[in-house]
Amino acid sequence: MTADAPTRSPGPTTPAARALAPDLARGFMLLFIALANSHYFLTGPSVMGGYPQNGSGLDAAVTWLISTFVDGRAFPMFGLLFGYGVAQIVRRHEASKPRAVRRLLWRRSAALVVVGLLDALLFYVGDILAAYGVLLFLGAWAVRWRDRWLVLTALAFFVLTSLPSDGSLVISLAGPDAAMLPPDAGTMVAERALVALFVATLGPLGFMCPFMVGLWVGRRRILEHPERHRMLLGVTASIGISAAVLGAQPVSLMLAGVVTPPNQPTLELLGSLHDTTGTLGGFGYAALLALIAARLHGRRRPVIDAIAAVGQRSMSCYLMQSVIWAVAFTPFLLDLSGTLGVAGTALLATGTWIVTVVLADRMRHAGHRGPFETLVRRVTYGPRALARTSDPAGDARRSTGP
């Protein structure tokens, strides 16, 4: 090839070339996403942190489990994995000009924003895809930054989001509003439009720290080669998860009804502690799942591959959850928000995730990508690049190595 010959975009990664650890982490964490989202639909005479305070002993136990291990812990991990994926895209296009890479990322950003806003309007107003799209639009300028600036930016946003405030969801006394539980279709669209724009605009502030860390980790391919970084991953998993569990206890015990809520200034401090340690927990979960992926190298693993198939189709499976929430909780549909308790919504969330695992695994065996993954890749790379990198049988025979 001559020096002035045009180069073709390498396109998206084929299924056979994907690493296990990031897909396994995405797939497993979608269970946590379902558990974290579903209880916010519940109503009752007294609600705190999205949990009705008049439930049974079983509800209290499930509340403690979810608020300790799930709430505020899954989304930071997804932010890290999102940044990691962006770093992979940039690495595959390292021979391209920075402007060309930014345009490619901006096309991906536009697809996420459009799909996310539609999901927020029609199904689940708390959708975060649009926020990720806005984050990518801004983060496209950071993909070429030096490591030092990535780390400093991550640290700055970590400190910013750790400041005490009354905005933490885990200490909110508000129940679901008309945007979450609209009485009719007209109210649904009207109420959700502003909320969706608000989440898309301010959401990136909360995801910026994990995103920057994900870019840094992705440059070093730590999740793709976990066997080379066992010490780092082990320390991160131990410290991150321990901090998340211990830091959640003041709020978790309060939500479970074990201790009495303190005054407002103290409550804001405890909410900040819960959220801040949750970010560390998200990093710890990602590290732990990477270590599990390294340990499973070369073994027969039908269940693990099925969960990884969800991770490969995380956007489609996430949107499937939104449809379930809409059908189950919308007042003019099944209207279960006043019927189910915390344990009931946890069971619904787990069942929904299991259904996505089964469907994703069937698509894996059939050699099909998720429909929304195909859409985003088509918008990002164009139909020609997508055709060049398609591997219908590769998903079923995906490499077991990282």
Side-chain angles (χ1 to χ4, degrees):
M1 181 179 294
T2 60
D4 57 350
T7 59
R8 296 192 304 179
S9 169
T13 304
T14 61
R18 296 179 69 102
L20 174 62
D23 288 334
L24 178 63
R26 292 186 188 96
F28 186 79
M29 281 298 121
L30 272 175
L31 169 60
F32 278 20
I33 295 293
L35 291 168
N37 285 337
S38 56
H39 69 81
Y40 281 103
F41 289 96
L42 297 180
T43 60
S46 176
V47 176
M48 186 173 191
Y51 297 98
Q53 298 296 291
N54 60 335
S56 65
L58 178 59
D59 288 331
V62 175
T63 295
W64 179 84
L65 286 171
I66 295 177
S67 58
T68 295
F69 297 101
V70 176
D71 288 344
R73 278 98 182 107
F75 290 103
M77 197 216 70
F78 257 87
L80 182 147
L81 292 173
F82 184 66
Y84 195 98
V86 172
Q88 290 178 307
I89 294 174
V90 173
R91 184 172 61 249
R92 292 199 305 271
H93 294 81
E94 60 185 358
S96 303
K97 295 181 179 180
R99 181 180 299 179
V101 176
R102 281 198 301 271
R103 288 176 178 173
L104 182 147
L105 295 177
W106 285 340
R107 290 195 297 271
R108 193 178 190 88
S109 166
L112 291 175
V113 169
V114 171
V115 173
L117 290 178
L118 288 175
D119 180 39
L121 287 174
L122 299 177
F123 300 107
Y124 176 52
V125 70
D127 178 277
I128 58 170
L129 291 179
Y132 277 134
V134 174
L135 176 62
L136 180 57
F137 183 85
L138 301 173
W141 295 96
V143 297
R144 303 283 185 179
W145 287 1
R146 296 179 182 272
D147 289 346
R148 176 178 60 185
W149 290 109
L150 292 179
V151 173
L152 289 176
T153 303
L155 182 61
F157 276 92
F158 180 79
V159 172
L160 177 65
T161 55
S162 299
L163 298 177
S165 74
D166 60 357
S168 174
L169 289 178
V170 297
I171 60 171
S172 173
L173 299 177
D177 56 14
M180 286 284 284
L181 301 176
D184 54 70
T187 303
M188 178 180 72
V189 175
E191 291 288 335
R192 289 180 176 180
L194 290 178
V195 176
L197 291 175
F198 178 82
V199 172
T201 302
L202 295 183
L205 294 177
F207 297 132
M208 189 64 76
C209 170
F211 175 76
M212 292 294 173
V213 173
L215 288 178
W216 183 87
V217 174
R219 287 180 180 178
R220 284 152 181 78
R221 310 185 71 173
I222 292 175
L223 300 184
E224 294 161 85
H225 301 289
E227 75 286 352
R228 303 176 186 174
H229 307 278
R230 292 182 187 273
M231 179 66 73
L232 174 62
L233 292 171
V235 171
T236 302
S238 300
I239 295 177
I241 296 175
S242 298
V245 171
L246 294 175
Q249 291 317 298
V251 167
S252 297
L253 293 173
M254 181 176 61
L255 294 176
V258 177
V259 299
T260 303
N263 57 40
Q264 187 62 29
T266 304
L267 192 60
E268 292 179 5
L269 287 172
L270 296 181
S272 174
L273 175 65
H274 185 281
D275 295 342
T276 301
T277 55
T279 299
L280 301 179
F283 298 162
Y285 282 147
L288 175 62
L289 290 166
L291 289 172
I292 292 174
R295 190 175 184 85
L296 293 172
H297 175 58
R299 298 185 184 183
R300 177 177 171 78
R301 50 186 198 193
V303 175
I304 293 297
D305 283 345
I307 296 175
V310 175
Q312 294 172 8
R313 299 158 182 83
S314 58
M315 186 176 181
S316 296
C317 293
Y318 171 78
L319 292 170
M320 190 181 303
Q321 292 183 8
S322 296
V323 176
I324 297 298
W325 309 152
V327 172
F329 299 111
T330 301
F332 53 86
L333 295 175
L334 293 183
D335 192 19
L336 298 178
S337 59
T339 303
L340 295 177
V342 177
T345 56
L347 185 61
L348 174 63
T350 303
T352 298
W353 179 75
I354 291 173
V355 169
T356 62
V357 171
V358 173
L359 293 177
D361 196 44
R362 289 188 176 182
M363 284 189 280
R364 176 178 73 91
H365 284 292
H368 298 311
R369 296 183 185 270
F372 287 95
E373 283 72 26
T374 299
L375 172 65
V376 172
R377 283 168 170 79
R378 185 175 294 274
V379 172
T380 303
Y381 299 103
R384 292 184 178 180
L386 192 65
R388 288 201 311 269
T389 56
S390 63
D391 186 9
D395 204 5
R397 62 172 187 271
R398 184 173 57 82
S399 170
T400 58

